[in-house]
């Protein structure tokens, strides 16, 4: 049977699953023991993989969390590309976050909040986070170009991509830092409305 159109081959999906498993294991160990006290050997052993396998998927300890960092925003980019181009950006992002996949992610909020706090408090992890967000901004450019009718390399589209990711990131950091957080979707909507992204 041919592979489903647009879906990665089985081997690639297995690789992605392994990357995510290592990332989730690392996040749990960092939260439990602390980043500095956790070694690559600890992560590999807890994930049930060899050191060789770990380094096949991760270049370093701080790189282990990259799949978790990029998955949420990466799904946002992919889902946003599937929304009608003439729909206001704020409404399109609201629709993306209302998908069943996003709702399941938000239902298990505490691990996500702990991850965002961890990424913000450890400089080595934060630098990886910022680098990953920069890569995702580049992926956003053609999506936003299609929505605005401007070239992907135009100043306006670059600024819009940066503003959108800043809004999502700031909302997530605000959400993670509060003992009794507001709803993340509502915070994201507020951030986008404050920046008046629909008017850009």
């Amino acid at each position: 049977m041919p592979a489903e159109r647009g879906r990665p081959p089985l081997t690639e999906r297995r690789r992605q699953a392994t990357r995510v498993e290592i990332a989730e294991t690392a996040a749990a160990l960092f939260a439990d023991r602390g980043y500095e006290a956790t070694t690559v050997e600890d992560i590999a052993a807890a994930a049930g993989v060899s050191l060789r396998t770990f380094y096949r998927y991760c270049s370093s300890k701080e790189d282990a969390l990259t799949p978790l960092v990029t998955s949420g925003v990466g799904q946002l980019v992919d889902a946003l590309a599937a929304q009608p181009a003439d729909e206001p950006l704020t409404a399109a992002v609201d629709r993306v976050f209302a998908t069943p996949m996003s709702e399941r992610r938000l239902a298990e909020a505490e691990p996500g909040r702990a991850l965002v706090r961890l990424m913000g408090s450890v400089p080595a992890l934060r630098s990886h986070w910022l680098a990953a967000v920069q890569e995702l901004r580049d992926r956003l450019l053609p999506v936003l170009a299609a929505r605005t009718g401007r070239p992907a390399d135009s100043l306006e589209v670059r600024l819009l991509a940066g503003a959108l990711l800043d809004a999502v990131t700031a909302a997530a950091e605000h959400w993670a830092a509060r003992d009794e957080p507001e709803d993340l979707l509502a915070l994201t909507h507020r951030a986008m409305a404050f920046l008046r992204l629909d008017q850009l």
Side-chain angles (χ1 to χ4, degrees):
M1 178 179 295
E4 182 179 339
R5 181 178 296 179
R7 191 177 187 190
L10 179 60
T11 301
E12 179 57 27
R13 296 203 303 274
R14 286 174 176 162
R15 290 195 189 102
Q16 291 173 356
T18 300
R19 291 187 191 102
V20 170
E21 185 174 354
I22 292 172
E24 290 176 341
T25 300
L29 289 176
F30 292 162
D32 182 51
R33 304 180 184 180
Y35 173 77
E36 296 296 341
T38 302
T39 65
V40 168
E41 289 80 4
D42 293 335
I43 298 169
V49 300
S50 66
L51 274 178
R52 181 178 179 180
T53 298
F54 176 92
Y55 281 115
R56 186 182 306 148
Y57 291 103
C58 312
S59 61
S60 60
K61 180 171 73 169
E62 55 267 26
D63 185 44
L65 295 183
T66 298
L68 298 183
V69 175
T70 59
S71 63
V73 180
Q75 288 172 6
L76 169 64
V77 174
D78 293 339
L80 189 58
Q83 303 303 313
D86 58 352
E87 184 177 33
L89 184 58
T90 299
V93 172
D94 286 346
R95 187 191 301 274
V96 167
F97 277 128
T99 62
M101 182 179 294
S102 294
E103 289 175 353
R104 285 195 299 273
R105 184 185 297 273
L106 291 171
E108 302 173 354
E110 193 48 45
R113 282 164 39 78
L115 176 63
V116 173
R117 290 194 297 267
L118 181 67
M119 298 298 293
S121 62
V122 178
L125 295 177
R126 186 162 185 83
S127 66
H128 269 66
W129 184 1
L130 295 175
V133 169
Q134 179 64 35
E135 290 181 12
L136 289 168
R137 190 184 76 160
D138 292 341
R139 286 180 53 193
L140 258 179
L141 296 177
V143 176
L144 296 177
R147 302 184 67 86
T148 63
R150 296 175 183 271
D153 62 352
S154 68
L155 174 63
E156 291 81 4
V157 170
R158 288 181 178 279
L159 287 171
L160 181 56
L164 174 56
L165 288 175
D166 281 347
V168 172
T169 300
E173 291 176 336
H174 184 85
W175 171 72
R178 298 301 183 272
D179 292 332
E180 296 183 2
E182 301 173 59
D183 179 74
L184 178 56
L185 303 188
L187 285 170
T188 302
H189 185 93
R190 274 178 52 199
M192 295 182 64
F194 181 79
L195 293 177
R196 300 180 179 178
L197 295 189
D198 287 336
Q199 299 176 31
L200 298 180

